[in-house]
């Protein structure tokens, strides 16, 4: 038994060992290009910032710096380590709805159409570009196959920089509540968010985009398992039913759909391991952000804090690896890639703003329905543009998954109407 498990781990980390003569979709040039090695190198780069920062925070707390500190650095240390408790006079209502009584059904319908269109356009475009950047070559000619962009961390940085700028401008231009959270607490959500995004990009080298979307849709299953095992949480019968339907639908899709061209069982296993990492890190991000909202911050402030540390981590790691300059050179060699990366970042930042606005105007249930439909449209669009083959049984499995997700939204809404406590909705601040 132990030997079999060791073989599975080895094949997942080093897919070229189990290719069986078939060429993986993105064969590594050397052992330093293996995804598991790159993951460890990236994690070491983030640790070079997290560990000294953690030690500094503990030092200032032990020295009781909040009471004894003086000098020019005191405000900075206070904001980063201790935070600022907002006073009652500093409280700012985040979403005043004084116009609710004057809103007509037609105006509400137009706003809903605006939100739905913005979310669909932003994230469908983002999904198409994500697959294009990670799975296709740039600069291909009749005599040259071109070259692929392989540094997922550089793409994560591109997304976070623009999101940081957008969030910063929003904080400056729109009135925000007084910020009270210690800045260092954002770093934990930033770290998990960066790692989840990296796993998401990297997984596309090994599995198809439809498989990735279905893996995201089935995230409710491990969340329920962790809630049952760790928190001893109880669930309603409909929750078990929908989780079972989701698992059946995903199994139908995975078992009926044939392997992608130039892939092997070993590379597919690598993709599934990366998707599992994405789900785990993303679940931590959502839960940590939920805890941070206890400081009464706005969603834009959360967006700024998380993206600030994300930029710090990714820039530092890329500089340590010497990869920042290489990514910039790749953009210089291929203007098409530069345009794709910029548009990818714009869609990511705008999508987050549409998330905040939609939830503020219509609530989490409507937002969940829109994003569930977006996932279904993303699979269809990917199949049309990139030629993924889905069998009849696989298509039926996709339909079962999304029907179960919509059933969850409906059941949760019914519970709220009856005054029962529904399952908490995940924080949607960082999804890409």
């Amino acid at each position: 038994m132990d030997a079999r498990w060791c073989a599975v781990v080895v094949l997942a980390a080093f897919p070229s060992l189990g290719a069986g003569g078939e060429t993986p979709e993105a064969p590594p040039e050397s052992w330093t290009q293996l995804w598991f090695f790159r993951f460890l190198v990236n994690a070491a780069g983030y640790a070079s910032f997290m560990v000294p920062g953690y030690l500094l925070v503990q030092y200032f707390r032990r020295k009781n710096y909040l009471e004894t500190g003086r000098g020019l650095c005191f405000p900075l240390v206070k904001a980063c380590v201790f935070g600022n408790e907002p006073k009652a006079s500093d409280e700012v209502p985040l979403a005043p709805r004084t116009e609710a009584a004057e809103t007509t059904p037609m105006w509400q319908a137009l706003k809903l159409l605006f939100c739905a269109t913005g979310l669909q356009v932003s994230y469908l475009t983002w999904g198409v570009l994500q697959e294009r950047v990670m799975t296709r070559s740039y600069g291909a000619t009749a005599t040259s196959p071109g070259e692929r962009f392989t540094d997922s961390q550089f793409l994560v940085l591109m997304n976070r920089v623009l999101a940081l700028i957008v969030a910063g401008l929003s904080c400056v231009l729109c009135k925000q509540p007084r910020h009270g959270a210690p800045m260092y607490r954002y770093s934990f959500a930033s770290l998990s968010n960066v790692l989840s995004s990296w796993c998401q990009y990297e997984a596309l080298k090994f599995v198809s985009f439809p498989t990735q979307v279905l893996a995201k849709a089935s995230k409710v299953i491990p969340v329920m398992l962790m809630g049952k095992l760790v928190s001893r949480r109880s669930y309603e019968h409909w929750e078990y039913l929908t989780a079972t339907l989701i698992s059946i639908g995903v199994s139908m899709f995975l078992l009926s759909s044939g392997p992608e061209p130039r892939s092997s069982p070993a590379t597919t296993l690598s993709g599934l391991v990366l998707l599992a990492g994405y789900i785990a890190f993303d679940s931590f991000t959502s839960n940590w952000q939920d805890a941070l909202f206890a400081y009464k911050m706005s969603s834009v402030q959360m967006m700024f804090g998380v993206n600030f540390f994300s930029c710090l981590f990714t820039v530092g790691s890329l500089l340590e690896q010497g990869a920042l300059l290489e990514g910039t050179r790749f953009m210089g060699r291929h203007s098409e890639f530069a345009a794709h990366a910029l548009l990818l970042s714009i869609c990511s930042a705008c999508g987050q703003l549409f998330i905040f606005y939609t939830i503020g105007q219509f609530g989490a249930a409507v937002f969940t329905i829109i994003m569930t439909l977006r996932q279904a449209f993303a699979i269809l669009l990917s199949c049309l543009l990139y030629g993924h083959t889905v069998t009849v049984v696989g298509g039926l499995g996709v339909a079962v998954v999304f029907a179960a997700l919509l059933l969850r939204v409906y059941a949760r809404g019914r519970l709220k109407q009856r005054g029962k406590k529904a399952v908490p909705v995940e924080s949607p601040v960082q999804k890409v």
Side-chain angles (χ1 to χ4, degrees), residues 236 238-239 409-423:
E236 300 286 341
W238 60 267
E239 295 179 86
V409 177
Y410 172 77
R412 183 181 286 114
R414 294 286 293 178
L415 281 179
K416 287 184 178 180
Q417 289 179 356
R418 295 176 182 177
K420 295 183 179 180
K421 186 178 180 181
V423 179

Side-chain angles (χ1 to χ4, degrees), residues 274 350 424:
L274 286 165
C350 292

Side-chain angles (χ1 to χ4, degrees), residues 262-401:
R262 300 175 60 194
S263 68
S264 71
T267 58
T268 301
L269 179 61
S270 294
L272 295 179
V273 171
L274 286 165
L275 288 177
Y278 160 77
I279 291 174
F281 290 124
D282 189 64
S283 298
F284 176 85
T285 303
S286 299
N287 283 283
W288 191 267
Q289 287 174 329
D290 285 339
L292 281 179
F293 273 120
Y295 287 96
K296 308 298 183 183
M297 68 185 67
S298 69
S299 297
V300 175
Q301 288 173 326
M302 173 73 77
M303 181 178 173
F304 180 85
V306 172
N307 283 294
F308 173 79
F309 281 99
S310 297
C311 291
L312 178 65
F313 292 150
T314 50
V315 167
S317 179
L318 287 169
L319 286 174
E320 291 174 358
Q321 300 175 38
L324 184 61
L325 183 59
E326 178 56 34
T328 306
R329 287 173 176 170
F330 192 94
M331 294 181 67
R333 292 195 301 269
H334 305 287
S335 58
E336 185 183 9
F337 168 77
H340 288 167
L342 178 61
L343 186 55
L344 194 71
S345 302
I346 293 174
C347 291
S348 174
C350 292
Q352 290 185 50
L353 295 179
F354 273 111
I355 286 176
F356 303 146
Y357 184 74
T358 303
I359 293 179
Q361 293 293 320
F362 301 100
V366 172
F367 164 76
T368 304
I369 293 175
I370 295 174
M371 295 304 282
T372 300
L373 294 176
R374 189 272 301 181
Q375 290 176 319
F377 292 151
I379 291 179
L380 178 61
L381 192 60
S382 177
C383 292
L384 292 175
L385 292 179
Y386 298 108
H388 300 297
T389 58
V390 178
T391 64
V392 175
V393 177
L396 182 60
V398 173
V400 169
V401 170

Side-chain angles (χ1 to χ4, degrees), residues 48-374:
S48 67
F49 290 88
M50 286 287 291
V51 173
Y54 175 80
L55 295 176
L56 279 175
V57 169
Q58 295 302 313
Y59 170 79
F60 286 122
R61 288 185 175 276
R62 284 198 306 269
K63 292 294 184 180
N64 197 20
Y65 189 81
L66 189 61
E67 301 295 334
T68 62
R70 295 291 184 273
L72 296 176
C73 295
F74 178 76
L76 178 62
V77 174
K78 180 183 177 183
C80 292
V81 178
F82 301 99
N84 299 290
E85 289 295 333
K87 302 176 183 178
S89 58
D90 295 322
E91 298 277 343
V92 177
L94 299 182
R97 297 190 181 184
T98 55
E99 76 285 0
E102 303 175 1
T103 300
T104 63
M106 178 61 71
W107 179 243
Q108 284 289 96
L110 289 176
K111 286 199 296 185
L112 179 60
L113 179 63
F114 170 73
C115 292
T117 302
L119 286 170
Q120 298 291 351
V121 171
S122 297
Y123 284 108
L124 287 177
T125 305
W126 175 81
V128 169
L129 289 173
Q130 180 191 30
E131 187 170 8
R132 168 65 182 89
V133 169
M134 298 306 300
T135 64
R136 298 297 189 271
S137 298
Y138 287 93
T141 62
T143 58
S144 172
E147 57 179 333
R148 288 191 181 184
F149 185 77
T150 59
D151 195 343
S152 301
Q153 188 175 208
F154 186 83
L155 284 179
V156 175
L157 172 62
M158 291 285 292
N159 290 347
R160 298 302 175 262
V161 166
L162 191 58
L164 177 67
I165 295 173
V166 171
L169 290 176
S170 299
C171 289
V172 171
L173 299 177
C174 303
K175 191 174 183 180
Q176 304 292 329
R178 183 183 179 187
H179 189 265
M183 286 296 295
Y184 83 92
R185 291 180 64 85
Y186 290 107
S187 63
F188 300 101
S190 296
L191 179 62
S192 60
N193 179 249
V194 167
L195 290 174
S196 68
S197 298
W198 184 88
C199 289
Q200 182 181 13
Y201 282 118
E202 200 72 12
L204 282 177
K205 299 177 182 178
F206 306 100
V207 297
S208 66
F209 184 79
T211 302
Q212 185 188 85
V213 172
L214 280 186
K216 296 179 189 178
S218 61
K219 186 171 62 175
V220 64
I221 299 175
V223 169
M224 286 182 62
L225 290 175
M226 292 299 293
K228 188 72 173 178
L229 296 175
V230 177
S231 304
R232 304 296 180 184
R233 182 178 297 168
S234 60
Y235 295 96
E236 300 286 341
H237 294 298
W238 60 267
E239 295 179 86
Y240 289 110
L241 173 62
T242 53
T244 302
L245 289 175
I246 290 173
S247 62
I248 291 174
V250 172
S251 300
M252 291 172 61
F253 176 82
L254 294 178
L255 295 176
S256 64
S257 300
E260 290 291 306
R262 300 175 60 194
S263 68
S264 71
T267 58
T268 301
L269 179 61
S270 294
L272 295 179
V273 171
L274 286 165
L275 288 177
Y278 160 77
I279 291 174
F281 290 124
D282 189 64
S283 298
F284 176 85
T285 303
S286 299
N287 283 283
W288 191 267
Q289 287 174 329
D290 285 339
L292 281 179
F293 273 120
Y295 287 96
K296 308 298 183 183
M297 68 185 67
S298 69
S299 297
V300 175
Q301 288 173 326
M302 173 73 77
M303 181 178 173
F304 180 85
V306 172
N307 283 294
F308 173 79
F309 281 99
S310 297
C311 291
L312 178 65
F313 292 150
T314 50
V315 167
S317 179
L318 287 169
L319 286 174
E320 291 174 358
Q321 300 175 38
L324 184 61
L325 183 59
E326 178 56 34
T328 306
R329 287 173 176 170
F330 192 94
M331 294 181 67
R333 292 195 301 269
H334 305 287
S335 58
E336 185 183 9
F337 168 77
H340 288 167
L342 178 61
L343 186 55
L344 194 71
S345 302
I346 293 174
C347 291
S348 174
C350 292
Q352 290 185 50
L353 295 179
F354 273 111
I355 286 176
F356 303 146
Y357 184 74
T358 303
I359 293 179
Q361 293 293 320
F362 301 100
V366 172
F367 164 76
T368 304
I369 293 175
I370 295 174
M371 295 304 282
T372 300
L373 294 176
R374 189 272 301 181

Side-chain angles (χ1 to χ4, degrees), residues 9-15 28 30-42 198-199 202-203 205-206 266-267 269-274:
V9 173
V10 169
L11 287 176
F14 304 98
S30 66
W31 67 275
T32 59
Q33 297 300 313
L34 295 169
W35 71 264
F36 187 69
F37 177 81
R38 293 199 307 276
F39 177 84
L40 293 178
V41 172
N42 292 345
W198 184 88
C199 289
E202 200 72 12
K205 299 177 182 178
F206 306 100
T267 58
L269 179 61
S270 294
L272 295 179
V273 171
L274 286 165

